[in-house]
Amino acid sequence: HAEHELALRAVAAGAWDFLAKPVEPELLKFAVARALTKGALERELRQLKAAQAEDFGITGVSPSTQRLKELIRRVGPADIAVMILGPSGTGKELVARALHHVSARAAGPFVAVHCGAIPAELMESELFGHLKGSFTGAHQDRMGVLATADGGTLFFDEVGEMPPAMQVKLLRFLQEGTYVPVGGRDARTANVRVLSATHRDLETMTSQGAFREDFFYRLKGMVLRTQPLAERREDIAPLAVRFLQETGNARFSPDALAWLARQDWPGNVRELRAVVTCAAALAGSGEIGLIGPD
């Protein structure tokens, strides 16, 4: 019956549409067509989400990328330290997030710390927290990164930039799971899985005394490596297409994709994304091609 209140209750209960008696055939066809389209779109979205979860958001078809995904599946569930090595811009944090995603800590926090972005004099307070009055400007207690990451994963990005003095203080935490906030006396505990990443050669730095050997081996655990784009050219076109899809409705010509795959990309994935984003802004919803022969 064509009752407004009944229609509202039906839709609120999950009905896709509401047709009043007597039903007009054309209106019925239209409603069913819309429902079928909606169902198809929902299935496609579920498939895309499932595929993205399976690939951890890591796009690529090269043997090295496939091997990296397989290692993530195997190493992720093991509650061990992992060090991710590779050039800048190759997705090391993406790998760290994938390891967290497949671990038993996935429901816990993922906290990333860029070791080169925090001034040395503030790093202890940033990591361990501090108590009120422990130094000028400490007007209240402040929880540190270790406490924030408790129960989850702590990711040290560019760990090669960490000051030596901080390495010593973190070593105790890595060994015993305890730390003392700045200005405090009582030890506190935090249960975190530590992942780290760097583009530096830590073994050489260790042999030269620029990085603590004991700290290095505490962090090392399992080592995963990300490769530069120049060594996995098969991944360039899929990455470019994905970045383009994220920015709008433009499309690449075959020549443009071939040109992208021939470039060395010293800035790796980060550089490729920037170029694709700029090209998409210029192309609008049109085709992105080449101006000249190369």
Side-chain angles (χ1 to χ4, degrees):
H1 298 286
E3 297 176 2
H4 182 68
E5 184 179 350
L6 180 60
L8 291 177
R9 288 206 309 271
V11 172
W16 162 239
D17 209 338
F18 182 94
L19 302 176
K21 299 188 296 184
V23 177
E24 297 179 12
E26 291 303 316
L27 183 58
L28 177 60
K29 289 180 182 179
F30 178 69
V32 170
R34 289 176 64 225
L36 290 172
T37 300
K38 179 176 183 291
L41 289 173
E42 289 177 343
R43 284 194 300 273
E44 183 179 356
L45 181 60
R46 286 195 299 269
Q47 291 169 355
L48 288 172
K49 286 183 175 179
Q52 186 175 24
E54 177 67 18
D55 289 340
F56 318 113
I58 300 173
T59 300
V61 296
S62 67
S64 63
T65 299
Q66 296 303 317
R67 173 63 175 163
L68 179 61
K69 292 177 185 179
E70 179 60 26
L71 286 173
I72 290 171
R73 294 185 187 97
R74 293 185 180 185
V75 177
D79 204 28
I80 59 174
V82 179
M83 181 174 286
I84 307 160
L85 303 178
S88 295
T90 52
K92 294 188 290 295
E93 182 170 342
L94 188 62
V95 173
R97 291 183 179 276
L99 290 167
H100 172 72
H101 176 74
V102 299
S103 74
R105 300 174 179 269
F110 176 90
V111 181
V113 178
H114 194 297
C115 298
I118 304 173
E121 62 273 14
L122 298 179
M123 184 166 285
E124 183 176 3
S125 172
E126 186 71 20
L127 295 180
F128 298 156
H130 62 252
L131 302 185
K132 179 181 179 180
S134 56
F135 55 84
T136 303
H139 302 301
Q140 59 185 7
D141 291 356
R142 183 176 183 274
M143 187 168 63
V145 167
L146 295 183
T148 303
D150 190 22
T153 301
L154 178 59
F155 173 53
F156 289 120
D157 195 9
E158 293 303 339
V159 71
E161 308 292 336
M162 183 173 289
M166 198 66 234
Q167 296 175 32
V168 176
K169 294 176 180 178
L170 268 174
L171 188 60
R172 178 184 176 186
F173 171 73
L174 295 178
Q175 291 172 337
E176 303 174 9
T178 62
Y179 66 96
V180 178
V182 176
R185 295 183 178 180
D186 298 328
R188 301 182 181 181
T189 61
N191 178 13
V192 303
R193 181 189 191 181
V194 176
L195 308 177
S196 58
T198 183
H199 71 284
R200 292 177 172 269
D201 185 346
L202 290 187
E203 290 189 354
T204 300
M205 292 178 64
T206 299
S207 64
Q208 295 173 346
F211 199 84
R212 288 186 63 94
E213 184 177 20
D214 46 5
F215 187 58
F216 170 66
Y217 286 113
R218 280 287 176 181
L219 290 175
K220 188 178 179 182
M222 182 73 181
V223 175
L224 301 185
R225 298 182 184 274
T226 57
Q227 302 298 323
L229 278 181
E231 295 182 11
R232 48 185 179 103
R233 294 185 182 276
E234 308 99 305
D235 294 346
I236 295 175
L239 280 166
V241 170
R242 176 183 173 181
F243 296 153
L244 190 62
Q245 290 173 343
E246 292 174 355
T247 58
N249 298 320
R251 61 192 181 279
F252 286 114
S253 71
D255 289 343
L257 278 178
W259 181 87
L260 290 171
R262 291 195 298 269
Q263 308 312 303
D264 288 336
W265 302 108
N268 294 297
V269 178
R270 190 177 293 124
E271 181 186 4
L272 176 63
R273 181 190 286 273
V275 169
V276 171
T277 301
C278 292
L282 294 173
S285 60
E287 182 178 77
I288 299 175
L290 296 178
I291 297 176
D294 196 23

